Amino acid sequence: MNELIIILFSSILVNNVVLVQFLGICPFLGVSKKLDSAVGMSLAVTFVLCLATAVTWPIYTYLLEPNGLAYMQTVAFILVIAALVQLVEIILKRYIPALHKSLGVYLPLITTNCAVLGVTILNIDNGYSFAQSMVHAFGIGVGFLLAMVLFSGVRQRVESANLPHFFKGMPSVLIAASLVSLSFMGFSGVVEGIFG
């Protein structure tokens, strides 16, 4: 149980997928202007992460690896992720059209979001069991949500600030993202120190 708690908290804080591993930057920068769209995107990514892990781990463990097809994991995982993203897009378009519209092009881009593919591959590379993989995927999703919500607040403050002309727009966004990322570096060793 202790091991699952360490995996959960380290995937949220210490190994945050956006702010430490720098995966999933496209939606991080593109959808973080408004809090509601940032939360919606984060929940969609978390759902796809958990579902993709639940599907790809057994495919790799019981189908690809025993048959000597481990080299096909990337192709198989991308196909599974693409199908799951299509499912999420259909559900959002049908039941939450406002969120679907606000996410725009970034929703289908979850298919090519390197964070989703990266987590499914990391679960295999780290030798996680199914339960550990699910906890890791959920923790990564929560970490993605935390990064998006924090950065959305920071970004709203930065955009309303009176900045010099050459800092307005993307330069100030990138500087703010680097400072938020730097703040997460302080969590290194904290989780292991508490739970280790």
Side-chain angles (χ1 to χ4, degrees):
M1 184 65 174
N2 235 9
E3 188 176 331
L4 294 178
I5 293 171
I6 290 172
I7 290 172
L8 178 68
F9 282 102
S10 67
S11 60
I12 294 171
L13 299 173
V14 178
N15 296 318
N16 187 287
V17 72
V18 177
L19 300 174
V20 175
Q21 297 179 10
F22 306 112
L23 299 173
I25 297 294
C26 180
F28 177 70
L29 294 175
V31 187
S32 60
K33 286 183 182 179
K34 295 181 181 174
L35 182 62
D36 57 344
S37 59
V39 170
M41 174 59 85
S42 301
L43 294 176
V45 167
T46 303
F47 179 75
V48 170
L49 273 169
C50 292
L51 213 52
T53 298
V55 174
T56 57
W57 191 91
I59 286 174
Y60 180 84
T61 304
Y62 300 118
L63 183 67
L64 297 178
E65 190 178 31
N67 294 312
L69 298 171
Y71 63 91
M72 294 291 292
Q73 83 174 4
T74 304
V75 174
F77 289 7
I78 287 173
L79 290 173
V80 167
I81 292 166
L84 293 173
V85 169
Q86 289 301 311
L87 175 70
V88 168
E89 187 170 12
I90 290 168
I91 290 170
L92 286 181
K93 191 174 188 178
R94 171 92 173 143
Y95 297 107
I96 314 173
L99 180 58
H100 180 267
K101 186 177 180 181
S102 72
L103 294 178
V105 71
Y106 293 101
L107 184 60
L109 284 177
I110 294 175
T111 302
T112 57
N113 187 337
C114 55
V116 177
L117 179 62
V119 169
T120 57
I121 292 175
L122 273 174
N123 289 332
I124 301 299
D125 289 348
N126 289 338
Y128 286 157
S129 67
F130 183 76
Q132 291 171 331
S133 296
M134 291 302 297
V135 168
H136 182 246
F138 179 72
I140 291 291
V142 171
F144 188 84
L145 172 70
L146 178 65
M148 290 286 282
V149 168
L150 284 175
F151 190 62
S152 177
V154 169
R155 191 166 178 178
Q156 288 176 358
R157 292 288 302 251
V158 167
E159 288 182 2
S160 66
N162 187 13
L163 298 173
H165 178 69
F166 53 86
F167 273 126
K168 290 189 178 188
M170 197 50 73
S172 64
V173 170
L174 292 174
I175 291 170
S178 65
L179 292 174
V180 172
S181 175
L182 190 60
S183 69
F184 268 68
M185 297 294 179
F187 289 114
S188 295
V190 171
V191 171
E192 285 81 7
I194 294 172
F195 295 106

